[in-house]
Amino acid sequence: MLEEITVAVAELKFDTIRKLCEEALKQGHKPMEVVEAMRKGMEEVGRRYERGEYFLPELMIAGDTMKEGMEVLQPYLEKGEGGARAKLVLGTVQGDIHDIGKNIFAMLARASGFEVIDLGVDVPPERFVEAVEREGAAVLGLSCLITPALPTMRQTVELLEKRGLRQKVKVILGGAPLTEELGKKLGADAAVNDAVKGVEILKGWFPKD
Ligand code: B12
């Protein structure tokens, strides 16, 4: 079933994804297993794009297909613990408009009791820093999927430092190209390519009292 979902995303089967996700949940698969199956399909879409078999329109249909599937899963992912552990400002960095992974992380963080202020996509460093200051956020989460936009993550951290806010806020980076090592180079406290791991890190930073 999960494999079928991966193939459906890779083959851009927008019309069947909803049914497949519902079926997988009925069969007892966890919502995050279904998300992961779709994410694998997206990886295959990326490979086909690199090989010149898919073009921009196919990337767009793939994005819509995964969003359609996420609509089925959203209510299950949002079922949460309630209460607020900490405030998190989140967004996709300037130069990048990918938001599916960011939105998944936002849902999971909310379900774990974090208040998420989502600034959307293509967010310049200045807007992130302003929001952290205005909201008194304890965490800044930055998402990035394309390598040319990675330096903006570093610039955002540097601007936090300049404004004297870096000590007050934990910075977590996420997105397919991120590794722990790269995260360190970019000046973050953590970097992951998996939303579940990201939320585990947040919970470690802000345990429930
Ligand atoms: C769908 C897609 C699109 C859609 C995006 C739709 C949308 N609303 O997001 C559209 C069509 C808009 C698009 C556009 C482009 N894309 Co595109 N796209 C993809 C594709 C196929 C899937 C991305 C995706 O959603 N994956 C599924 C999600 C669930 O995975 P994820 O994002 O990694 O998120 C997970 C984790 O990383 C984590 N996470 C994510 N963010 C955060 C944040 C935090 C704080 C935390 C803790 C965790 C976390 O949680 C998620 C769940 O575990 C990828 C292929 C790939 N291999 O990723 C290419 C890909 C990312 N795109 C690529 C490119 C080149 C482009 C374009 C430049 C194409 C063009 N010529 O115009 C443009 C970019 C425009 C721009 N300025 O941003 C390249 C990037 C190459 C690179 N290394 O730079 C890729 C890798 C394809 C490829 N193999 O070449 N794309």
Side-chain angles (χ1 to χ4, degrees):
M1 186 77 226
L2 293 177
E3 236 166 70
E4 228 177 292
I5 288 176
T6 301
V7 172
V9 172
E11 301 281 333
L12 314 172
K13 302 278 191 229
F14 178 86
D15 292 338
T16 58
I17 197 70
R18 196 171 263 276
K19 251 197 165 156
L20 287 173
C21 289
E22 284 164 358
E23 193 55 40
L25 292 178
K26 255 191 222 153
Q27 286 185 11
H29 290 292
K30 294 199 181 105
M32 264 325 277
E33 288 175 349
V34 184
V35 171
E36 184 52 22
M38 287 200 284
R39 200 196 55 76
K40 279 190 192 153
M42 293 296 239
E43 253 175 30
E44 178 56 22
V45 170
R47 283 193 287 270
R48 290 182 191 188
Y49 176 78
E50 275 172 15
R51 293 201 296 262
E53 296 163 22
Y54 280 177
F55 299 94
L56 197 53
E58 281 82 6
L59 287 190
M60 289 167 81
I61 300 168
D64 288 346
T65 305
M66 178 144 186
K67 283 192 169 175
E68 184 80 359
M70 284 309 300
E71 275 187 23
V72 175
L73 303 171
Q74 191 161 351
Y76 300 88
L77 292 172
E78 278 177 348
K79 256 191 216 151
E81 304 169 8
R85 288 198 207 225
K87 219 183 228 189
L88 161 75
V89 165
L90 177 69
T92 301
V93 297
Q94 188 168 34
D96 191 345
I97 58 164
H98 294 84
D99 67 354
I100 298 172
K102 166 185 73 63
N103 295 344
I104 294 172
F105 175 65
M107 270 180 225
L108 297 180
R110 283 191 181 109
S112 294
F114 290 86
E115 184 184 343
V116 180
I117 292 132
D118 189 345
L119 303 180
V121 299
D122 196 18
V123 181
E126 188 67 44
R127 266 192 66 213
F128 277 121
V129 174
E130 271 171 22
V132 165
E133 194 158 31
R134 186 181 62 238
E135 302 289 343
V139 188
L140 174 62
L142 304 176
S143 180
C144 182
L145 267 275
I146 55 172
T147 39
L150 286 172
T152 334
M153 290 183 140
R154 172 82 222 161
Q155 286 161 19
T156 307
V157 177
E158 281 170 359
L159 194 58
L160 279 177
E161 277 162 9
K162 247 192 192 166
R163 300 283 161 83
L165 292 167
R166 184 64 186 91
Q167 303 305 319
K168 295 183 187 154
V169 62
K170 292 272 192 192
V171 179
I172 183 164
L173 312 180
L178 271 308
T179 58
E180 211 183 316
E181 206 189 341
L182 181 56
K184 277 186 193 140
K185 280 189 192 150
L186 295 169
D189 297 298
V192 291
N193 57 9
D194 177 330
V196 174
K197 275 192 202 141
V199 172
E200 287 309 317
I201 291 173
L202 291 190
K203 286 181 179 173
W205 287 342
F206 300 97
K208 254 189 168 173
D209 15 67

